[in-house]
Amino acid sequence: MVLLLREEGRFAEARRWYVEGIDLGRDPVSALQPLYRLDHDPFPTEGVRQAMESAGSQAPDDDRVWLARAHLATRLGQFTEADRWLNSCLQRRPEDPVAWRARLEWAMAAGRPDIARQTLAHIPAEPDPRALLWTLRAWFARREGDSAMEQAAWQHLHDLDPGNINALDRLAELATAAGQTDRAAQIRRQRLKREETDKAYVKLLTGADPVAHAGELAQLARELGRPTDEKIWSYLAATSEPERAQAPPAPPRFVQANSSSRQTLADLLPDLRTPRQRSAAVGPTPSVAAGATPWFVDDAAAAGLRFVHENGRETARLIPPASASGGVGLLDYDGDGWLDVYVVQGGPFPAGPAAPHDGDRLFRNQANGSFVDVTEQAGIAARVRGYGHGVAVADFDNDGRPDLFLTRWHSYALLRNQGDGRFEDVTEQAGLAGDRDWPTSAAFADLDNDGDLDLYVCHYISWNETDHPVCIDPKNPSRYNCNPRDFAALPDHVFRNDGGRFVDVTALAGVVDRDGRGLGVVAADLDGDHRIDLYVANDTTANYLWRNLGDFRFEERALEAGAATSGSGDFQAGMGVACGDLDGDGRLDLAVTNFYNESTSFFRNLGGGFFGDRGDAIGLGPPSRYLLGWGIAFPDVNNDGRLDLLTANGHIYDGRPQLPFTMPLQLLVGGIDGKLTDVSRQAGPPFHSLHLGRGLAAGDLDNDGRIDAVIVAQNEPLIYLHNRTRGGHFVTLRLEGTTSNRDAVGARVTLTAGGRRQVAQRIGGGSFQSASDPRLHFGLADATRVETIEIVWPSGRVDHYRDLAADAAYHLREGNPAAMPLKGWGP
């Protein structure tokens, strides 16, 4: 019964069945464990989909199958399909409270307060509806722009359930917006403590003898707001230690009688039956993005980008480096104005002389829509080939030519661009040789503002390739028992560039990374103080925000800033990072791809170095929740002047039939209301295929003013998303520092066109183990001219440019008042 209720989305009823089992069964622990898993285990989307297809073919008129299909579609963010199934359910049973509850959940997930109001009169009130009522008040208040009402509602919910993570997170964000930074920091510390409490509870609950720790479990359950668990653990503690009680207590009864009241939610929330006037600060509620629908084709084979990635194993079931291999970099290595492509190969694992492979590949852009493999000519093929992970691109020696930094199993490699079409290995001369354990993503940035680029490298976990633990449950091959936290974390490293030699200053810089497990990093000025900060996505532990204090010193403040965990307070499995002004308020926001069942995080920049997780609010949560994301970028793919979100996805192990293994690419476009809309199904054939996606780099490969992307998928050919969208106008800018670092990392550009202001920054790093187009791209919608451009360079110099034609590319050099045509582009 619980399985059926779960598939239909009826979790409250499923919990009641488990609670009845506690009363009826002889072993309460056997009910408490699955009760916890019901709340926390990933929803088996693939298994439910297959089950519903089978059930639908056998019983096509069963409206409970329709309900399960509606629930699954809602979870996946497929709101139109869910709407269709729910309408069928309500036509069959017009007053079915179960279907109306599902309709309310759909309305809240889809951001439809109008539909949510209609449901309230059809949903009977629970015996104790207080938590639901305050949640609904907070939800409606947020959409009406009433922050005072929302704050009051969340505070009531927090008072009712102090461990409610949603209340803690939103209260912290509201306090930040109100300038109450001390209060926000206090709330975030509460949230972190709650996460630690949850971990302690799970450890004891799933341990060898939970009853021996019944008293401790009861206390932890109280702190977590799990009253059923608290009661049964208290009972078990008392009965297992009779000396603590004069008489054995009677076993608690948990089944609640149904309420005799006929009140509905509308009766209890009469003021929410009609909408109130929205705040002027809040935009219109949901709309489809106004920009042109994107269209892509995969032109990798046609363009000559022939490369097949090898992850070094037949099945992706374990946790070693093979699960994360695959990076790609875009660079103009020969200076002709056209982006070339560097692809990182994995190969057999562990790598060695007895396990040769073709190695990394460099493809030269021939400026005619095709690429040619120049790996041999560039001197890359002659290098010692290790097991590759990622690539970062930067002009580390300020000679005007992009160089390559590679992360490999137990090594770094720094390849200097000689300017004659060849690269030389300068790893040892640059101080980067030696055993480097497990490095992943890297970012170059001028962290001390001395005019050259320094280096931050993420490191993952301590793994012995000769000692493989058994990660797959032999009784259930779809269950994966290894967790990154089962292995010691490796510290990240930061290097200062001293005249082309990199000196490890990790400890001196204050970068103390004891439990990070870094996979993605971006370097950007996130708090507007003209110093480059570092944001790191960590796997299963808190993300890092290293705030630059000057003089090459950093402090970690992600928790206080609201960017350490998800909005629900969970440590997530962060993979890749994107950075850009998604909401158009002039501040750089952050997005992080995460594990399956976690969704991609969107941390909105609130100003002053503070962030709030707004993924669900902008429509990102449901579409991305049942994907495992890696590479990520914020391109404007339809040139409407609003950033979009592109991700590469794929699981690390084969959990079929319950969980998906290969996954589709995902594209969400930004709308005028600040929300994202999933258009993947309409964006062209490449989005209909399934992959083990990893690295992703976005950039304009054919210089036509439309952003393309290159994606590495494990054990299959390279993917070239060639953008064929009929979108708006554009302008492309290549920045060159003179006093500042040559790559101009950290430069802030403010552009005005068509009366609309856009802000972008030349960042370092980003995505997952990949390097995107170093040029800045702006979609201009209908504007045919750029009115003004302001550049604030890392040196502090400010340059201005005026009245530039659209649909063109410009080379802007620090201190030069003239905008020069960019090489490789026509008029």
Side-chain angles (χ1 to χ4, degrees):
M1 190 66 185
V2 167
L3 291 175
L4 289 172
L5 292 171
R6 181 190 63 170
E7 290 180 352
E8 295 172 19
R10 299 162 66 177
F11 286 88
E13 294 174 70
R15 290 186 192 96
R16 285 197 290 271
W17 277 81
Y18 270 131
V19 169
E20 286 193 31
I22 294 174
D23 279 337
L24 301 175
R26 296 183 178 181
D27 180 13
V29 176
S30 67
L32 285 172
Q33 289 174 338
L35 180 63
Y36 183 89
R37 289 199 299 269
L38 179 69
D39 294 332
H40 293 85
D41 274 8
F43 190 77
T45 55
E46 188 64 17
V48 171
R49 182 186 65 78
Q50 294 180 16
M52 290 308 102
E53 288 179 354
S54 175
S57 64
Q58 298 177 46
D61 293 327
D62 187 337
D63 62 330
R64 285 306 187 241
V65 175
W66 303 347
L67 183 68
R69 287 189 162 186
H71 174 69
L72 179 61
T74 298
R75 278 182 167 268
L76 295 175
Q78 299 166 1
F79 298 125
T80 301
E81 180 180 345
D83 183 47
R84 179 167 58 85
W85 287 115
L86 285 172
N87 285 336
S88 298
C89 291
L90 290 170
Q91 287 173 6
R92 173 69 61 82
R93 307 191 206 193
E95 294 303 324
D96 178 16
V98 171
W100 280 108
R101 288 191 191 96
R103 170 59 84 184
L104 174 60
E105 292 170 3
W106 174 91
M108 295 178 74
R112 294 293 303 272
D114 54 334
I115 302 298
R117 285 191 181 86
Q118 296 172 13
T119 69
L120 300 180
H122 301 274
I123 301 176
E126 296 289 332
D128 184 0
R130 291 176 297 170
L132 176 58
L133 296 180
W134 288 121
T135 300
L136 287 170
R137 284 198 177 280
W139 187 84
F140 277 106
R142 185 169 186 172
R143 274 137 196 86
E144 292 167 348
D146 190 340
S147 58
M149 174 62 74
E150 184 189 359
Q151 187 171 29
W154 284 122
Q155 188 61 55
H156 279 292
L157 187 59
H158 174 63
D159 295 341
L160 187 67
D161 177 10
N164 188 293
I165 289 295
N166 292 327
L168 288 171
D169 182 73
R170 188 58 182 149
L171 284 170
E173 185 174 346
L174 290 168
T176 299
Q180 303 167 357
T181 55
D182 290 343
R183 169 65 174 155
Q186 178 189 4
I187 295 172
R188 290 192 172 103
R189 284 192 291 271
Q190 286 181 258
R191 192 177 70 172
L192 181 62
K193 183 178 183 299
R194 198 270 188 192
E195 173 70 16
E196 296 298 330
T197 301
D198 188 72
K199 286 193 292 185
Y201 184 78
V202 172
K203 184 176 182 179
L204 294 177
L205 177 67
T206 58
D209 187 6
V211 176
H213 302 277
E216 188 177 353
L217 282 162
Q219 176 61 35
L220 293 170
R222 181 181 306 114
E223 295 175 16
L224 292 172
R226 300 183 66 85
T228 298
D229 302 50
E230 179 191 349
K231 290 177 183 178
I232 195 66
W233 289 123
S234 296
Y235 167 71
L236 290 173
T239 55
S240 61
E241 301 181 32
E243 68 276 6
R244 291 187 178 182
Q246 294 181 354
R253 297 290 297 175
F254 294 103
V255 181
Q256 296 181 353
N258 291 328
S259 173
S260 59
S261 170
R262 295 187 177 182
Q263 284 186 310
T264 67
L265 294 181
D267 295 325
L268 300 177
L269 298 167
D271 56 315
L272 297 184
R273 293 178 181 177
T274 57
R276 295 182 296 163
Q277 182 66 38
R278 292 177 60 86
S279 167
V282 178
T285 45
S287 67
V288 176
T293 300
W295 183 259
F296 290 84
V297 294
D298 183 359
D299 272 346
L305 290 170
R306 295 182 177 90
F307 170 88
V308 177
H309 179 270
E310 302 173 34
N311 72 355
R313 56 186 174 171
E314 294 182 359
T315 58
R317 285 188 175 274
L318 300 178
I319 200 172
S323 64
S325 173
V328 57
L330 304 181
L331 71 160
D332 179 10
Y333 89 99
D334 54 1
D336 65 353
W338 297 78
L339 290 178
D340 311 300
V341 179
Y342 188 96
V343 195
V344 177
Q345 181 62 282
F349 182 83
H357 62 87
D358 290 339
D360 300 354
R361 312 309 292 175
L362 174 63
F363 296 92
R364 180 178 180 270
N365 193 329
Q366 300 191 96
N368 61 3
S370 67
F371 294 79
V372 61
D373 189 332
V374 295
T375 310
E376 296 283 347
Q377 301 92 304
I380 292 169
R383 291 198 61 260
V384 176
R385 300 181 186 131
Y387 189 88
H389 292 303
V391 56
V393 176
D395 180 7
F396 81 91
D397 54 3
N398 278 339
D399 65 358
R401 298 185 292 265
D403 310 300
L404 293 164
F405 176 78
L406 308 172
T407 56
R408 298 192 178 283
W409 180 242
H410 280 276
S411 69
Y412 300 158
L414 182 62
L415 306 185
R416 180 180 175 272
N417 190 334
Q418 298 180 168
D420 59 357
R422 295 181 61 80
F423 290 84
E424 63 173 330
D425 189 338
V426 297
T427 309
E428 188 169 353
Q429 300 95 299
L432 296 172
D435 191 317
R436 297 293 178 173
D437 52 68
W438 186 347
T440 57
S441 294
F444 283 93
D446 188 357
L447 300 176
D448 52 1
N449 205 20
D450 65 351
D452 58 21
L453 294 176
D454 309 298
L455 175 64
Y456 187 99
V457 188
C458 296
H459 286 247
Y460 193 43
I461 61 173
S462 179
W463 176 274
N464 184 349
E465 61 264 39
T466 64
D467 181 20
H468 299 296
V470 177
C471 293
I472 301 301
D473 188 337
K475 297 181 180 179
N476 180 6
S478 68
R479 184 174 290 277
Y480 187 71
N481 291 330
C482 283
N483 187 302
R485 283 186 288 190
D486 296 334
F487 306 90
L490 294 171
D492 295 350
H493 291 268
V494 61
F495 299 88
R496 187 180 64 231
N497 186 341
D498 288 350
R501 185 172 180 83
F502 288 89
V503 179
D504 192 330
V505 294
T506 307
L508 291 174
V511 177
V512 180
D513 172 18
R514 296 189 178 93
D515 199 31
R517 301 173 180 85
L519 287 175
V521 58
V522 68
D525 177 9
L526 297 172
D527 55 6
D529 65 356
H530 305 292
R531 291 190 289 261
I532 301 297
D533 310 302
L534 296 156
Y535 184 77
V536 180
N538 288 317
D539 190 1
T540 70
T541 48
N543 296 332
Y544 291 148
L545 175 56
W546 297 108
R547 180 171 181 263
N548 194 331
L549 302 175
D551 298 322
F552 223 116
R553 294 283 300 171
F554 294 83
E555 66 171 353
E556 204 293 298
R557 61 179 314 276
L559 178 64
E560 292 82 359
T565 68
S566 72
S568 59
D570 298 321
F571 294 146
Q572 296 182 294
M575 310 293 183
V577 185
C579 181
D581 182 13
L582 185 68
D583 56 2
D585 64 357
R587 297 187 289 261
L588 295 184
D589 309 303
L590 298 164
V592 181
T593 48
N594 294 304
F595 205 74
Y596 181 85
N597 196 46
E598 292 181 341
S599 77
T600 297
S601 300
F602 172 64
F603 295 105
R604 183 187 175 214
N605 194 328
L606 305 176
F610 293 95
F611 294 82
D613 186 351
R614 299 296 299 276
D616 286 341
I618 66 169
L620 179 57
S624 64
R625 181 162 292 122
Y626 298 104
L627 296 173
L628 197 165
W630 299 87
I632 182 171
F634 271 144
D636 179 359
V637 299
N638 52 8
N639 284 336
D640 64 354
R642 295 183 290 272
L643 295 184
D644 311 306
L645 187 65
L646 178 66
T647 61
N649 310 289
H651 222 301
I652 63 169
Y653 74 98
D654 191 347
R656 293 173 292 185
Q658 294 302 311
L659 303 173
F661 182 35
T662 53
M663 297 178 178
L665 307 173
Q666 187 173 63
L667 175 63
L668 298 99
V669 296
I672 57 174
D673 53 8
K675 290 181 168 48
L676 293 170
T677 301
D678 188 352
V679 297
S680 305
R681 292 185 174 186
Q682 297 82 44
F687 292 89
H688 301 164
S689 303
L690 302 177
H691 312 278
L692 292 178
R694 292 300 187 263
L696 179 155
D700 188 354
L701 271 71
D702 54 359
N703 286 353
D704 67 350
R706 293 177 287 195
I707 297 295
D708 314 297
V710 181
I711 294 154
V712 174
Q714 292 193 338
N715 299 332
E716 66 175 87
L718 197 66
I719 302 166
Y720 170 25
L721 290 183
H722 196 180
N723 192 340
R724 316 307 287 162
T725 308
R726 296 181 178 273
H729 299 283
F730 72 93
V731 69
T732 297
L733 307 178
R734 181 199 162 198
L735 308 183
E736 180 186 351
T738 53
T739 304
S740 304
N741 66 87
R742 192 76 171 261
D743 278 354
V745 174
R748 175 186 171 93
V749 177
T750 302
L751 177 147
T752 304
R756 186 166 178 269
R757 176 176 169 266
Q758 297 184 57
V759 173
Q761 191 177 130
R762 174 70 166 90
I763 66 172
S767 192
F768 170 74
Q769 298 185 160
S770 299
S772 292
D773 193 338
R775 303 166 300 190
L776 297 182
H777 174 92
F778 294 85
L780 304 180
D782 297 330
T784 58
R785 299 199 71 80
V786 176
E787 295 152 18
T788 63
I789 294 176
E790 177 189 85
I791 304 178
V792 180
W793 300 90
S795 66
R797 181 185 175 90
V798 180
D799 287 333
H800 294 90
Y801 304 86
R802 300 184 184 278
D803 193 28
L804 301 178
D807 300 328
Y810 299 97
H811 181 179
L812 306 181
R813 182 178 290 132
E814 183 179 11
N816 188 340
M820 301 171 288
L822 185 57
K823 188 176 181 180
W825 292 68

